[in-house]
Amino acid sequence: MDNLSIILGFAGGLGMFIYGMQIMAQGLENAAGNKMKSLLEALTKNKLMGVLLGAAITAVIQSSSATTVMVVGFVNAGIMNLQQAMGVIMGANVGTTITGWLVSSVEWAEFLSPAKIAPVAVICGVILMISGKRRSSKEIANIIIGFGLLFIGITTMSSAVEPLQSSPVFREVFVKLGSNPFLGVFAGFAITAIIQSSSASVGILQSLAAAGLVPFSAALYIIMGQNIGTCVTAILSSIGAKKNAKTAAIMHLLFNVLGTVILGSITIAYFWILQPEAGNGQITQTQISVIHTVFNIATTVMLFPLSNWIIKLAKKIGRIDEAAVEVSDVQLDDRMLETPGIALQSTVNEVVRLGYIVKGAMAVSKRVLFTQKSEDIEYLKNEEKTADKLTAGITEYLIKINTKQIGEKEHQEVAHMLQIISDMERVSDYTENISEFAENMREKNIKFSEIGGTQLKEMLEVCADSYTYALEAYENQDRDKALKVIEEETRADDLEVSLRNQHIKRLAKNQCETQAGIVFLDALVCLERISDHARNIAEEVLQQIEE
């Protein structure tokens, strides 16, 4: 077989391997659905929980690079601090070993031989995809098809390089990599940096090992280099991010470099001093999986107690501190779009944050018409600008999520959120209107009559409660709170009609100032519409709960 045929066969197999891995990962991620979202809640736990979370997410998406890029996004968005990020980064290195075990299963589980199972997996997956009507069936089909393509790809790569067994030049290359640790580490680093996937890089190594081409020592050094190479993706991802996000990428690099230096030193001492001949034997796919797993677990266990020191060193190298996030900054990041399920949950958190900003404006609105303080008026105007900025940012991000491969349920959730943030933004607009009424009253020295002020306070209380219940209903997906909103909105409607009629009678009897009366009626309109938007939010929540 000529060199061109070997290169084309190997490249085709690599492409099929990576494509199969991505299809399977996407199917697993979509099938995980809400479970992936619930994992996000663990970010508030301790660092050990972060390690477990990082391992779990990476096992699903099968890419430590993607997990770390997502971590950079979380830190950049202010959702995760550097302590939490450190735990997830450590766990990601462990989770990425899953792909290697899938590939090596052909050795320790004969029934999983690619020649037997891969074609069957692909045809079964295709049949399920064509015949399945439910979303879950199609996701399972993707997992099965990706599994089959992954095995076909690794078999194609192994078959393509078999002729190289008799090539003295190719064997000499691997002997050099095994005898020179720095060359071996660099080779692993370069390959992983180029294809930006340590899982795929390990798969390449295993395909070469299946052809009997890789010495034991060379494999160890290459695996260590692969762990450093996987940091390149996160470093590239941090370009243009905030300073603390760059620190997260530096932490990832430091963690993997320190692990390689410490364990690499032990490995070199073993092969050069204790057992010089041990490194010359051929390694198997299963042994590569074992070494890859042991190396990453050992690195995590060894450096876990030093994680705070690694964070401090990363900050010192980057000459930065964790940056404060502006309240008006949208705390979402495009890096999280690689895992739409988690991106969606992050957006839910941001919608809730917007909701509480508007709730704060509602609280000030309850007093501003009576105090007419300039700081309250200015606060409401600024908060409306903040709400506008957040609404625009969240909307843009939701549209991006909607273009990803997400299920029907997620599409519906996006639609609900778009409606909810629109209602929240409208409530914010009405609080600004109220601040303008207060400003007008201050400039013209307008005061409500005693009875008018009492009645307006009652309306303010009802509408503020209505919005608060709506926000809590959305945040906790609480059906009872949503129904309470509908009750309060009905009460607000009735109260608005009653107060308007009473006020018109007072005007007819000259019992209040005309200008104060105009503000009173305008304020009633704003407050009634706030309760309407609160009801809209509640109805969206009820639809979500029922779906």
Side-chain angles (χ1 to χ4, degrees):
M1 185 180 288
D2 59 84
N3 291 337
L4 181 61
S5 298
I6 292 173
I7 293 170
L8 291 176
F10 185 82
L14 176 61
M16 194 172 297
F17 175 84
I18 294 174
Y19 183 59
M21 188 169 63
Q22 288 181 342
I23 290 176
M24 184 167 64
Q26 188 65 57
L28 284 165
E29 183 188 333
N30 290 342
N34 291 330
K35 294 184 181 66
M36 288 286 285
K37 295 179 189 179
S38 64
L39 285 174
L40 187 63
E41 297 174 3
L43 295 177
T44 57
K45 307 297 180 183
N46 57 36
K47 203 178 298 175
L48 179 59
M49 287 298 296
V51 173
L52 298 176
L53 176 68
I57 292 176
T58 308
V60 171
I61 64 178
Q62 297 190 36
S63 172
S64 60
S65 297
T67 300
T68 310
V69 166
M70 188 169 58
V71 166
V72 171
F74 282 142
V75 174
N76 192 50
I79 295 172
M80 185 188 293
N81 60 41
L82 294 177
Q83 293 284 341
Q84 294 164 331
M86 188 74 243
V88 177
I89 287 169
M90 289 188 286
N93 278 18
V94 177
T96 195
T97 62
I98 294 296
T99 307
W101 282 107
L102 283 175
V103 172
S104 66
S105 63
V106 300
E107 292 182 343
W108 49 267
E110 189 177 346
F111 67 92
L112 290 177
S113 169
K116 297 177 183 177
I117 197 170
V120 176
V122 172
I123 191 61
C124 288
V126 170
I127 292 171
L128 182 59
M129 179 170 287
I130 294 172
S131 61
K133 302 298 182 184
R134 299 174 60 185
R135 173 200 167 197
S136 57
S137 299
K138 296 189 181 295
E139 300 302 349
I140 293 171
N142 278 336
I143 295 169
I144 296 171
I145 292 171
F147 184 74
L149 290 177
L150 184 148
F151 273 138
I152 292 173
I154 199 73
T155 304
T156 304
M157 284 194 291
S158 299
S159 300
V161 298
E162 274 182 7
L164 295 176
Q165 289 178 316
S166 57
S167 169
V169 175
F170 206 78
R171 283 188 170 278
E172 184 62 25
V173 168
F174 275 99
V175 170
K176 287 281 187 186
L177 294 178
S179 61
N180 189 323
F182 299 104
L183 281 179
V185 170
F186 179 77
F189 165 82
I191 293 170
T192 308
I194 290 169
I195 63 177
Q196 296 196 20
S197 172
S198 60
S199 296
S201 182
V202 170
I204 293 171
L205 184 64
Q206 287 177 305
S207 69
L208 295 170
L213 295 168
V214 186
F216 210 91
S217 57
L220 261 69
Y221 301 142
I222 290 171
I223 288 171
M224 292 177 191
Q226 288 168 340
N227 269 37
I228 299 175
T230 196
C231 301
V232 170
T233 309
I235 291 171
L236 291 174
S237 172
S238 70
I239 296 174
K242 295 173 185 175
K243 291 182 177 181
N244 54 342
K246 291 183 174 70
T247 305
I250 295 171
M251 280 160 34
H252 185 211
L253 179 62
L254 283 174
F255 177 73
N256 284 0
V257 168
L258 286 171
T260 298
V261 169
I262 296 171
L263 294 179
S265 300
I266 296 171
T267 302
I268 292 170
Y270 178 79
F271 285 137
W272 284 12
I273 300 172
L274 299 178
Q275 295 288 337
E277 298 300 319
N280 298 327
Q282 298 301 304
I283 196 168
T284 66
Q285 291 178 318
T286 303
Q287 287 172 329
I288 288 175
S289 298
V290 171
I291 290 169
H292 191 211
T293 303
V294 169
F295 175 78
N296 284 316
I297 291 177
T299 301
T300 300
V301 171
M302 181 175 56
L303 296 181
F304 186 85
L306 304 176
S307 57
N308 289 335
W309 178 81
I310 293 174
I311 294 171
K312 290 179 182 178
L313 181 59
K315 286 182 178 181
K316 191 171 183 180
I317 291 172
R319 297 179 181 179
I320 56 177
D321 296 314
E322 291 192 61
V325 179
E326 289 292 329
V327 70
S328 61
D329 288 344
V330 180
Q331 296 177 21
L332 296 167
D333 196 284
D334 286 352
R335 297 163 184 82
M336 290 183 283
L337 293 171
E338 294 299 318
T339 49
I342 292 182
L344 198 58
Q345 181 59 44
S346 300
T347 314
V348 170
N349 296 342
E350 193 70 349
V351 173
V352 171
R353 188 169 76 90
L354 168 63
Y356 274 99
I357 288 171
V358 177
K359 180 184 175 183
M362 277 297 305
V364 175
S365 297
K366 288 168 63 177
R367 66 172 183 262
V368 72
L369 287 171
F370 308 100
T371 63
Q372 300 169 13
K373 289 183 179 178
S374 57
E375 56 265 33
D376 285 344
I377 293 169
E378 195 62 30
Y379 173 84
L380 290 173
K381 290 180 178 180
N382 289 334
E383 289 300 271
E384 200 280 327
K385 291 177 183 176
T386 298
D388 281 349
K389 186 177 178 181
L390 287 176
T391 300
I394 296 170
T395 300
E396 182 182 350
Y397 197 76
L398 284 170
I399 291 170
K400 290 178 182 178
I401 293 176
N402 226 20
T403 63
K404 297 294 180 179
Q405 292 183 353
I406 58 177
E408 182 59 32
K409 187 173 182 181
E410 282 73 25
H411 280 298
Q412 290 174 351
E413 188 170 354
V414 168
H416 288 308
M417 274 197 275
L418 286 170
Q419 182 58 55
I420 287 169
I421 61 174
S422 175
D423 285 307
M424 287 178 174
E425 194 274 333
R426 292 298 293 141
V427 171
S428 176
D429 286 343
Y430 287 122
T431 62
E432 184 185 32
N433 290 347
I434 291 172
S435 74
E436 291 170 353
F437 299 156
E439 189 172 32
N440 182 49
M441 291 178 72
R442 188 185 64 183
E443 291 173 354
K444 296 180 180 180
N445 195 28
I446 298 170
K447 301 292 182 181
F448 293 120
S449 64
E450 185 177 348
I451 188 169
T454 301
Q455 290 179 342
L456 195 56
K457 286 178 181 178
E458 182 182 4
M459 185 69 174
L460 280 161
E461 202 68 44
V462 170
C463 294
D465 287 347
S466 180
Y467 176 79
T468 299
Y469 289 137
L471 177 58
E472 292 173 352
Y474 176 68
E475 182 180 15
N476 304 311
Q477 291 294 287
D478 190 324
R479 188 174 184 274
D480 291 337
K481 285 285 175 67
L483 293 175
K484 183 70 174 174
V485 174
I486 295 173
E487 290 178 15
E488 291 294 296
E489 193 274 334
T490 302
R491 182 184 168 196
D493 284 348
D494 294 340
L495 190 59
E496 192 266 344
V497 172
S498 173
L499 296 182
R500 178 181 294 276
N501 290 336
Q502 291 180 52
H503 184 67
I504 290 173
K505 290 178 182 179
R506 286 198 301 275
L507 283 172
K509 295 178 181 180
N510 292 321
Q511 292 177 344
C512 66
E513 296 179 15
T514 302
Q515 288 183 316
I518 293 171
V519 174
F520 182 93
L521 292 175
D522 286 343
L524 282 183
V525 171
C526 284
L527 293 170
E528 191 276 331
R529 288 177 181 170
I530 286 173
S531 70
D532 287 343
H533 287 293
R535 178 169 183 151
N536 290 345
I537 295 170
E539 288 175 346
E540 293 291 331
V541 172
L542 290 173
Q543 286 182 39
Q544 280 186 291
I545 293 171
E546 291 168 4
E547 287 171 355

